[in-house]
Amino acid sequence: MTPFSAIFVPQELREAVSDPAWLQGMLDAERALANAGAALDLIPADAAVRIAGACRAELFDAAAIADAGREVGNPAEPLVRELRKAVGDAADYVHLGATSQDIVDTAAMLVSRRALELVVRQLDRLGAECAALARAHRSTPMAARTLLQQAVPTTFGLKAAGWLVAVVEARTRVEAVREERLAAQLGGAAGTLAALGDRGLEIVRLYAEELTLAEPVLPWHASRRPVAEIGAALTAAADAAEKVGGDIALLAQTEVAEVAEADGGRSSTMPQKQNPVGSALAVANARLAKAHAGILLGSPAHEHERGVGGWHAEWEALAGALAFGGGAAARAADAATGLKVDTERMRTNLDASGGLVVAERISFALTPRLGRVGAHEVVAEAARAASFRDALLADERVDLAPEELDELLDAPGYLGTAEALVDRALARYEAAHT
Amino acid sequence: MTPFSAIFVPQELREAVSDPAWLQGMLDAERALANAGAALDLIPADAAVRIAGACRAELFDAAAIADAGREVGNPAEPLVRELRKAVGDAADYVHLGATSQDIVDTAAMLVSRRALELVVRQLDRLGAECAALARAHRSTPMAARTLLQQAVPTTFGLKAAGWLVAVVEARTRVEAVREERLAAQLGGAAGTLAALGDRGLEIVRLYAEELTLAEPVLPWHASRRPVAEIGAALTAAADAAEKVGGDIALLAQTEVAEVAEADGGRSSTMPQKQNPVGSALAVANARLAKAHAGILLGSPAHEHERGVGGWHAEWEALAGALAFGGGAAARAADAATGLKVDTERMRTNLDASGGLVVAERISFALTPRLGRVGAHEVVAEAARAASFRDALLADERVDLAPEELDELLDAPGYLGTAEALVDRALARYEAAHT
Amino acid sequence: MTPFSAIFVPQELREAVSDPAWLQGMLDAERALANAGAALDLIPADAAVRIAGACRAELFDAAAIADAGREVGNPAEPLVRELRKAVGDAADYVHLGATSQDIVDTAAMLVSRRALELVVRQLDRLGAECAALARAHRSTPMAARTLLQQAVPTTFGLKAAGWLVAVVEARTRVEAVREERLAAQLGGAAGTLAALGDRGLEIVRLYAEELTLAEPVLPWHASRRPVAEIGAALTAAADAAEKVGGDIALLAQTEVAEVAEADGGRSSTMPQKQNPVGSALAVANARLAKAHAGILLGSPAHEHERGVGGWHAEWEALAGALAFGGGAAARAADAATGLKVDTERMRTNLDASGGLVVAERISFALTPRLGRVGAHEVVAEAARAASFRDALLADERVDLAPEELDELLDAPGYLGTAEALVDRALARYEAAHT
Amino acid sequence: MTPFSAIFVPQELREAVSDPAWLQGMLDAERALANAGAALDLIPADAAVRIAGACRAELFDAAAIADAGREVGNPAEPLVRELRKAVGDAADYVHLGATSQDIVDTAAMLVSRRALELVVRQLDRLGAECAALARAHRSTPMAARTLLQQAVPTTFGLKAAGWLVAVVEARTRVEAVREERLAAQLGGAAGTLAALGDRGLEIVRLYAEELTLAEPVLPWHASRRPVAEIGAALTAAADAAEKVGGDIALLAQTEVAEVAEADGGRSSTMPQKQNPVGSALAVANARLAKAHAGILLGSPAHEHERGVGGWHAEWEALAGALAFGGGAAARAADAATGLKVDTERMRTNLDASGGLVVAERISFALTPRLGRVGAHEVVAEAARAASFRDALLADERVDLAPEELDELLDAPGYLGTAEALVDRALARYEAAHT
């Protein structure tokens, strides 16, 4: 349902959440179940071999399975029927003690694992670009802007370091979920594993092991934290990417012109346009990722031992959150890669206000004599004059020599701890990557 | 990004929001533009003919266009390039005075028009089923339930009439949007139609006419009410469908068993299960439709004359809202079609409480003598006894003869205006359909 | 639950959704019910008079009622108990045939009616400001910006006209809901009006009439379109306000500086700052309004004849959507009122690119000779040079005399139908207001 | 903006997010800043003492500060002004090097810390109730239900254990955020700490230490993960509570009647009603909590160094998420406390289907002879007969003696690993609490 999805999401990520990928996830679950059963002598070893051999997505018709799934409300039931057909005598040993939800939920975890790996890869691309910018522009002065107004000087490196910290946090968050929260699902018809007699817990353990998924305390049929946690982690990735895209688009504004994307997009009608396409797509992907994650995070509780509709709605939400979350990171990385940074323009913009951007500094300099409130007032008054500098020099309450004032008005002299903060962010990034 | 989408959305609706459908919508926009240009002698008539002839989706490669669209952030720019290649000498007359957003937004309206028509068709199926149930069960007594507790008697017809009224309202809402709010988009580079000189308004009028879309007061590049209104209408459709699905699933509970879907879904492990699959899928679709509509309705304002990302995020949201909105109605109609209604069980459930379900009525009957509060207390006390009837008869404050009490305790005698309300709902439905 | 709510929402709107306002709404419902009962001789006339006399919020303790409401899950039940105490002998005639939900839902409609009136008032303030700006700056040239890049010239009037059209549409939408969709709720215990015998429909009619609310086809206990429609209308108001606030904040950026709010907000530390406070608060309110409306629009279907929790969650959502929706319009109006428009700066920004902003126009001028694609290329190439004009003049493919080129490069000469569109928007606004 | 908030949220939690609590949080931040300044000799020790002495919320008028905050868009600026007035000569040392956002964001963390503590307390109440139910009903057979249909037997203990695991996870999640993610905010005007010269990093460290908040890598002005993470944790709490409330309401249905809340709520008109009020309010609170958390999780990226509106919208969202998140846990705990569990009714419901609830078991028993598909068919056929048992006995393909069949049909004999799973969940709970 995503028109022109190639615009948004890298191909390998689209593939990772495609029907064949889900199909393979379901088949992996069936294979693991058969192998676990064989390991416990619940099914013959050769049946397990035969089942495992048939658990390859390319042997099945995903479209036909989806069509058949409509009648039963899920794709696992028709897949199990097809798989049974495919394995001849081993048919009776297929899907041992499982229910459809076991298979679909486990597939969701396997699909997520692969897709989250790709999300991490895109976050790494993005992080590397942000780190490079933070390093290169550690001391490049530019205006910081609050409420979109120039506030005080900062460095472009600190801005990029802010992006970087968010990317590192998101990566940590995504990795933590990928490593700890992806849990095998096996509960049988309704979470008691009854069809497995007294071997239920053992088979769950082996099943989880084979799939290298976590073994949950209880089956999570009706407690959807695993999918919600994936959603939450992807909002962190989307946020980090959206911040980069959003800031680049703002800095690339014609009137600001401090950065430009390397490959600005063409317009169909305006020859001069160099659109911040990567940024726009990062933002779009991020919004879509957060909206899909929001379905997972905001879903009403599932009824009893399986939800009526709430469960079924998760599949699209999960696939979308993964695809667009990774798409956001990918497009933000595209935007940041080769970013053209115009340090002169940054300086010009910083100086354009004739010192207003360091009004705070002047105010602090005057405080010992005028008091904080008095100093604030004097400076605010001068800020409304045609020339801030001249007005200050003309004000008799101001006891600063012209050269003293000029030094204070020099924006790059008022960077505070910007550079130290960049170092701190880079150190953390490097620590996380070695 | 929708795993196993055939489970949720009917095929023709999936096609209506597919890439080829969007492509055709864009081509229809280009064709209309060329024809409008020819009508005003802005381009040669034969160029318009040539362009119109090439505006067929099957002549283009949707996947390649999506791929190429990544660089520029939209599919219209590469399509225009391909279209120019396809029309030879007429190339210069393609895309006259338009910008990519004009083409994509107009396509969105055309896609919506077709998809909304299919949504209406599904709502009509659903409405017809609800009306039939309301008519057939106008006087079939059942328990009304508030907070999931039996409250007082109602009729199954009134419940179905409630469903019907919501379906009719949703249909009206969807139709109103389809007929009045789908607006042509043509503003040129940024909404001034500058490339069309002084013919801008005329060409917009002709363009809208050819497409039979509304002519907006202003181009709506950055004012997204048309898409938001589509979203809002689809939430009405989703709500109506979810209510039917949700109520059917509740009524079909094993312990309630008042209805069953005609084609209850198989379980992969439990032979007895007759799952309310249509209902579950109606609910799932409805949740997905509302979430996608929520992206349209909750989107931050677009910046200046075109949004940075907000615009791009709409395509998936719109396609999803349309597909799942229609899917919700379709699956609810599936659930309602041939619904097995067990009127005896309804009566059994109604009588199971030994008259508690008409406790309100007894309370009113005692009010003249005991006062409202006193009567409420007497009845509440009896309600906690083993037998409500016996406790009432044994209570000396109750001045009712046994036969008098038994008449009051007869649940079907306490239906109030249920039947008249059913008639009212059916009259309205019929008025809307003739 | 809204910290520092006075920052966001005007006082009268906060009062309109406050507990006392809800209390009065519930009491109005009880009064109307008593009067309707008296009119039909179901209760004595003097009882109705007595009840009506007691139906004044100031006679009740809202906090105590909320506290007592916890046990029963709603405020109506304890209110009815208090009201009965307050009317002596008339106690038995209070709450005739109604259930708690009837009273709370009807109160929700009455609260909404009053609050929507205030929302409309704020939209009118905002509309008047936008209209004044559109009129005053009908022909003031400025850069239109797509994807935050200068695109082509437009006029500030056209931008303001775009705001205006959205405000007018939102006002129309809100008014339509206020006049047509606010429906009386009276269904008795579960929608059958059983406690009213055969007078149910008559009493509903009188009840609705007294409250001047619409009479619904059926009681809407479990079909929540009236509240959803209020939510949908408020998203239109929020969108309109957010667009104004968002655009003003962008135009007020230090580097753009085309507008400034009349009362820019102080910073606690930076003396020079003139923050676009009204705009920021318009945006904040809009996001909160849309999120609250989203609860109403995205709510799962209510179960059977009354929702388990879904109903209760509506109260906060509705109050928030109303308050923040109106707050958005109010703060956007604050931002627009007395807006300082720097038309010189608009012109400077427009000219700053040395003609790039009309590159489209040059491209069209060259098309007859070079073909569309050729012209686009020539112009795109020149756009990358240091001087666009010089590069064009130096390019032998360009057959334009310098004076001819200069005329084409004059941005205000390329406004297309901007002024005509402003006139159209103003005409529509004026038509709606006379 | 929350009508009748006492119905939803416990008083101490309402107080924890009230204006006075935010005010105190802001004052705590100012106090910590003064103390840190004094420790580094940036301000005189006695000034810090004086400031600290004045940093008590009861000395300020929260309503007046909110009113004054409207002009500047935040409550910190007017508070700083009032605080300066209150400290006489120490005025110049107030708010040293900070900006309004530092103060408000730090207050948000302090408010969250206190409120999250109360949320944890409510989760603990809820967890204790769930654990007690799991323990007491470890072996109490009942029907598990998937898609609201009886599936196979389970135990009520396992259902309660499922609730418990979710509560424990939510508690862990909330505690982790409370202990690790609540970060001090101090960046000065725009994140460089410029006004603190070269002492910026030291003062941040001391400031964070005094407040016992984490010291962030960078100031998080424009990177809102701390608030988003609070939101995400609260969705876990809301989910856990909603599941308990939702399941109780379903089990309490008149036709199911397996549990009843200890204090069922009165109806204003129906004397017999025992509404599951705690459950309904748990669900309502949970939905409101998730919607408010959704604002935090779905917010667009903040612009540059401070968001335009996105920042301001957080306050209500955060307060609401905290209050309703805790309210959800509180009301779910109310619902679970003293829950009346009707184990006989559980058994009756389980047996009502005449063995259908163990159809899966019969199918497995027949598989060795008939094959899986064959067995499934035989059983499915019998399931449609009037008597499942008789049909099975009459079917010649079934080779089970009556007594053998009866043993298989005994539902409590088919509990699988239910009890072992309960033990596992309880062990984990106990481990987390000792």
Side-chain angles (χ1 to χ4, degrees), chain A residues 384-399:
Chain A
R384 287 188 293 273
S387 160
F388 183 48
R389 181 179 180 276
D390 293 352
L392 288 170
L393 289 176
D395 190 318
E396 57 188 16
R397 291 165 297 180
V398 175
D399 58 344

Side-chain angles (χ1 to χ4, degrees), chain C residues 179-200:
Chain C
E179 284 171 15
E180 296 159 28
R181 301 302 306 258
L182 301 182
Q185 168 71 297
L186 186 60
T192 63
L193 294 155
L196 297 165
D198 55 1
R199 314 298 293 274

